[in-house]
Amino acid sequence: MADASLFAIFMDGVFLKNFLVVQFLGLCSFVGVTKDVKSASGMSGAVIFVITLSAFVSYLLYTFILLPLRLEYLNTIAFIIVIAALVQLVEFIVRKFMPPLYRSLGIYLPLISTNCAVLGAVLLNVMNEYTFIQSIVFGIAAGVGYTVAMLIMASIRERSNVLYVPKAVGRGVTYAFFIALIMSMSFANYFKVIPL
Amino acid sequence: MGDNRSVASEFMRGITKDNPTFGLVLGLCPTLAVTTSVENGIGMAAGTLFVLVGSNMLVSLLRKEIPDSVRIPIELIVIATFVSIVDMGMEAFTPDIYAALGVYIPLIVVNCIVIGRAEAYALKNGVFYSIVDAFGIGTGFLLVLMLLGGIRELLGTGGIKLFGVQLVDFVSMLGYNPIGVMTLSSGAFLTIAVLMTIVNYRKILKAMKGG
């Protein structure tokens, strides 16, 4: 996989292997925080930020600490600690220096340390043996793909507030899953027409 | 918690009222991602059950020692340790299932069910009941994964194959034409959406009868 072009990795991350609707990473936030567009975009912003940062940090950690010391088997523990610490750090920095950004992202940041999307991106980087640049591009792509799916889902749910939906289908997450069904078909299949 | 709880009721609560998928709606990523076949579902649920029991036991034993302010990092490390054990154990003993589950095994760490039970139950209850709770929730998870995996495998490939033995085969028996999309991501969303609709429908009927 080390020879895959950056554009191919990016398109893969955003559409073909979209984290939410194709790979099922981060589904809890996909059905939980998409009741309106405002909170969905806040969550997405926080995820792009943290995924990119942790792709960067975990690559350095894996290549320069875990590999030379032959501690690859500890990668799950190491990555989860790094992500949790990173999220805390980002929260402090944003709160101190960027209060407006903190007001819009603040409540979503703690949720991210247990979001499968972040740990998933980091682990997939290691599994696919991506180089440094490829890891970061994949991280950004995963974040952008997450945002695209979250915003589509939130807009559909927000608009369907005024529609009549049968009670058994329209209750909470069930409705979200029906929307996700249609979205996953388009993401996984129709974007295959783009030649990479 | 009163004293009127019994082991059986605590166990059954994980399967019915606090069912991870239909009751608590937690841990959806593995529920949908790995249920392309019954076998993968069982593998995933067994791994999660082991982690749940281990983490609930350890967190409950340590519950008087853990300072409140750092309890989440501590729980995460406890869980990550058990996940690493599962990860290495499955790689050594069941390499086929390990290859099929891939990245989702290490992702048990961020499965909301495990940390949710540590937070909501093990921190407040004794060791014995924490283990019972873990077994109940784990069994509920196992049943859901088997149901989802069974539906998707049956419709998607036309038969059910369990540990190398073909149990049912509709393709040769009935000339059934498999619907390939059921084993893809869309099939997972369709299956869970329809199942949840049925659950909701039953709840609404019950509420109408009651009120």
Side-chain angles (χ1 to χ4, degrees):
Chain A
M1 284 299 258
D3 54 339
S5 81
L6 292 182
F7 181 69
I9 291 179
F10 187 80
M11 292 309 276
D12 245 23
V14 177
F15 297 116
L16 276 181
K17 292 187 187 152
N18 185 289
F19 266 40
L20 287 175
V21 293
V22 182
Q23 304 225 56
F24 310 108
L25 297 171
L27 274 186
C28 298
S29 56
F30 190 45
V31 295
V33 222
T34 49
K35 289 194 184 80
D36 56 285
V37 175
K38 200 161 161 278
S39 43
S41 49
M43 183 75 190
S44 308
V47 165
I48 295 189
F49 199 55
V50 174
I51 282 196
T52 314
L53 256 179
S54 43
F56 175 79
V57 174
S58 64
Y59 182 84
L60 298 180
L61 176 80
Y62 189 74
T63 330
F64 295 110
I65 297 180
L66 293 184
L67 272 185
L69 295 177
R70 301 199 156 197
L71 291 174
E72 298 99 312
Y73 62 92
L74 280 183
N75 64 7
T76 314
I77 301 183
F79 290 156
I80 193 74
I81 296 172
V82 163
I83 291 170
L86 204 66
V87 169
Q88 283 286 323
L89 194 72
V90 168
E91 201 184 336
F92 288 144
I93 293 174
V94 172
R95 182 157 59 188
K96 184 97 172 93
F97 297 108
M98 290 169 268
L101 187 65
Y102 181 75
R103 275 196 291 278
S104 54
L105 295 189
I107 51 166
Y108 303 109
L109 278 172
L111 291 178
I112 287 180
S113 37
T114 53
N115 189 325
C116 347
V118 180
L119 186 62
V122 170
L123 288 169
L124 284 173
N125 273 338
V126 172
M127 279 189 177
N128 293 335
E129 291 168 6
Y130 282 151
T131 60
F132 182 60
I133 302 290
Q134 284 173 330
S135 300
I136 292 182
V137 169
F138 186 72
I140 297 173
V144 172
Y146 181 92
T147 310
V148 171
M150 287 287 274
L151 288 183
I152 295 178
M153 170 68 109
S155 325
I156 297 177
R157 279 181 86 173
E158 203 173 81
R159 260 150 229 228
S160 48
N161 276 344
V162 291
L163 299 177
Y164 169 73
V165 184
K167 235 186 190 169
V169 178
R171 243 163 95 142
V173 295
T174 316
Y175 188 56
F177 278 127
F178 275 109
I179 302 170
L181 159 68
I182 298 162
M183 277 172 66
S184 80
M185 282 199 246
S186 56
F187 271 72
N189 300 317
Y190 296 141
F191 284 106
K192 277 190 186 140
V193 296
I194 305 171
L196 290 175
Chain B
M1 294 262 167
D3 293 311
N4 54 354
R5 60 186 178 181
S6 72
V7 176
S9 72
E10 288 290 290
F11 180 78
M12 285 307 290
R13 191 173 42 81
I15 299 171
T16 53
K17 192 173 130 270
D18 280 354
N19 185 293
T21 306
F22 296 112
L24 303 172
V25 200
L26 288 177
L28 294 169
C29 315
T31 310
L32 296 184
V34 304
T35 49
T36 48
S37 71
V38 182
E39 197 176 304
N40 290 348
I42 294 176
M44 184 73 207
T48 312
L49 178 68
F50 177 80
V51 175
L52 254 173
V53 172
S55 77
N56 254 16
M57 183 180 74
L58 209 57
V59 170
S60 169
L61 277 174
L62 294 171
R63 72 185 186 282
K64 297 205 175 84
E65 319 294 331
I66 299 177
D68 198 42
S69 51
V70 291
R71 61 177 203 284
I72 292 189
I74 290 179
E75 284 162 16
L76 272 179
I77 293 171
V78 168
I79 294 167
T81 310
F82 282 104
V83 170
S84 295
I85 296 173
V86 169
D87 193 52
M88 287 181 259
M90 284 184 102
E91 193 174 7
F93 295 115
T94 53
D96 294 343
I97 297 181
Y98 183 80
L101 297 182
V103 73
Y104 294 100
I105 298 262
L107 281 177
I108 299 176
V109 179
V110 283
N111 189 327
C112 335
I113 303 172
V114 183
I115 194 153
R117 288 332 281 177
E119 272 281 291
Y121 201 92
L123 272 180
K124 301 184 189 96
N125 291 280
V127 180
F128 179 68
Y129 279 109
S130 296
I131 294 176
V132 172
D133 177 72
F135 269 107
I137 299 278
T139 313
F141 193 56
L142 175 73
L143 292 177
V144 171
L145 288 196
M146 281 175 69
L147 177 67
L148 272 172
I151 295 173
R152 286 179 68 191
E153 194 179 355
L154 200 59
L155 294 176
T157 64
I160 288 181
K161 209 173 166 195
L162 203 59
F163 304 114
V165 186
Q166 189 83 33
L167 291 181
V168 201
D169 188 5
F170 282 167
V171 180
S172 58
M173 275 160 55
L174 307 170
Y176 171 78
N177 199 1
I179 314 164
V181 77
M182 289 304 288
T183 55
L184 300 178
S185 56
S186 321
F189 284 124
L190 178 65
T191 317
I192 188 115
V194 170
L195 286 178
M196 280 192 159
T197 308
I198 297 170
V199 171
N200 285 342
Y201 188 65
R202 289 195 44 165
K203 273 186 197 157
I204 292 170
L205 278 189
K206 224 182 204 173
M208 277 164 69
K209 267 182 202 154

